[in-house]
Amino acid sequence: MSGGTPCYKMLDVLCPMHVVLDQSGKIGFAGPTAKKLLPGRSLVGLGFLDIFEIKRPHAIETFEALRQKTGMKLHLRFRDPPHRELKGVLMEGPETGQVIVNLSFGISVADAVRDYKLTSADFAATDLTIEMLYLVEAKSAAMEASRQLNVRLQGARVEAEAQALTDTLTGLKNRRAMDQALEGLVASGESFAAMLIDLDYFKAVNDTLGHAAGDFVLGQVASIMLRETRTRDTVARVGGDEFVLLLREIDDASQAERIARRIINLLSEPMIFEGARCKISASAGTAMSRDYKIVSADQMLVDADLALYQSKKNGRGRHTFYAADLLQPPAEEPAPEIGAPASKQA
């Protein structure tokens, strides 16, 4: 039995998933797609009924019984795992005693295409499976395009949300982000400190050296504050030269004092912008959550602002903790609110 004859070349094109059986029921030739059904093994030389179990029609145990089913639709499956089920039709071959069985995957073709890594070249050109493969490929391409679009949209959404919570000049958190973080800390019940820091003499930098110098100073201030706090803390710019630090898991006032003192000392050092000295200082006020029976975000900010006012009143460049005996600012010089410039000399 030769697969090189015109007859078998024709079968390779018209029904590439066929096998040719000899008089004993052994496979003498397999089409190009049929050869892929047993990865790593050759079908040629194997008994057809040794490989396949005939499910319908029933009671087919011998090749002679199979030969009697010429023209009938067969339901069969591999005897070995994974027992893939196939459809088939059997016809007499051109040579004496030959039987040709044309196989197909039926409705499981999509799984078979995936498992055997088949392409449109593995099916007859007129096989409807070709159309299905085109549809599957189109669907896969559409799903991949949709997935990539969703990834881009998700990335754009995340970026937009990050921008909405970021101060564009310094890269610090903005007022909105600070409010969210503060509410989260209050809800969590953990001990924390809310520290307000206001720059002293910052207006003089803008007035004498210009806004470019002022922007430079704000960038330096942001860098110092980030460096002197921990990654789990929140550092936010909430006004022109006003900042809020939310220091997490702090129950000891001395920890907050050390952080405030380091920042104040560093900010008192002159900053050089294009050869010019930018001289500022900083005042700070802190409220500790441990000092409240019921912690309120708004009240802590008000009290920290009062402590900040006291630092300015006492000469600037210093840090004060809120205490109940702190004097309220006089009516003609009200304590600054978060987001509005604090009272200062310049």
Side-chain angles (χ1 to χ4, degrees), residues 130-184:
I130 300 293
E131 305 299 326
M132 186 216 64
L133 289 177
Y134 288 149
L135 291 175
V136 169
E137 291 174 0
K139 178 183 177 182
S140 298
M143 291 180 66
E144 176 61 18
S146 176
R147 185 191 67 80
Q148 292 181 1
L149 177 60
N150 285 334
V151 168
R152 291 196 295 270
L153 290 175
Q154 177 70 7
R157 183 183 68 81
V158 171
E159 183 178 353
E161 289 180 351
Q163 290 178 351
L165 299 174
T166 302
D167 176 60
T168 55
L169 177 60
T170 63
L172 300 177
K173 302 297 185 182
N174 60 16
R175 176 60 187 261
R176 179 184 175 190
M178 186 277 294
D179 285 339
Q180 291 182 2
L182 181 54
E183 292 293 342

Side-chain angles (χ1 to χ4, degrees), residues 286-317:
T286 298
M288 304 284 295
S289 65
R290 66 173 192 182
D291 296 332
Y292 299 83
K293 291 183 179 179
I294 299 177
V295 179
S296 163
D298 291 340
Q299 189 60 51
M300 284 191 68
L301 290 179
V302 168
D303 293 344
D305 194 47
L306 182 59
L308 169 62
Y309 167 80
Q310 191 66 33
S311 293
K312 287 185 172 292
K313 182 180 178 182
N314 292 341
R316 295 178 170 81

Side-chain angles (χ1 to χ4, degrees), residues 9 26 62 64 67 89 114 121 140 145-146 148 150 159 162 167 208 216 224 261 268 290 299 329 333 338:
K9 289 183 178 179
K26 290 185 178 181
T62 67
E64 287 304 319
R67 189 191 295 274
V89 63
R114 179 195 64 223
S140 298
S146 176
Q148 292 181 1
N150 285 334
E159 183 178 353
D167 176 60
T208 58
F216 168 78
I224 289 171
R261 180 47 51 194
S268 67
R290 66 173 192 182
Q299 189 60 51
E333 190 179 358
I338 300 301

Side-chain angles (χ1 to χ4, degrees), residues 30-146:
T33 305
K35 291 178 180 178
K36 297 183 177 182
L37 296 181
L38 286 181
R41 295 176 58 190
S42 173
L43 287 172
V44 176
L46 302 178
F48 184 80
L49 292 178
D50 293 332
I51 302 172
F52 297 103
E53 172 191 357
I54 309 301
K55 297 181 65 180
R56 292 198 303 273
H58 298 293
I60 296 180
E61 300 292 342
T62 67
F63 179 59
E64 287 304 319
L66 178 64
R67 189 191 295 274
Q68 300 304 314
K69 303 303 179 182
T70 300
M72 293 184 61
K73 184 177 181 180
L74 304 176
H75 295 258
L76 58 158
R77 71 175 181 178
F78 280 103
R79 292 187 181 275
D80 294 334
H83 305 296
R84 181 175 299 284
E85 296 192 0
L86 302 169
K87 304 293 187 297
V89 63
L90 166 147
M91 294 297 293
E92 293 290 341
E95 299 180 16
T96 303
Q98 280 185 344
V99 171
I100 299 175
V101 184
N102 189 35
L103 301 169
S104 73
F105 295 111
I107 62 174
S108 65
V109 63
D111 293 335
V113 167
R114 179 195 64 223
D115 295 343
Y116 295 117
K117 298 179 174 58
L118 303 179
T119 69
S120 58
D122 293 305
F123 299 91
T126 56
D127 194 327
L128 288 178
T129 301
I130 300 293
E131 305 299 326
M132 186 216 64
L133 289 177
Y134 288 149
L135 291 175
V136 169
E137 291 174 0
K139 178 183 177 182
S140 298
M143 291 180 66
E144 176 61 18
S146 176

Side-chain angles (χ1 to χ4, degrees), residues 198-210:
D198 188 272
L199 303 184
D200 305 317
Y201 316 114
F202 177 73
K203 185 174 182 297
V205 174
N206 274 333
D207 290 346
T208 58
L209 299 177

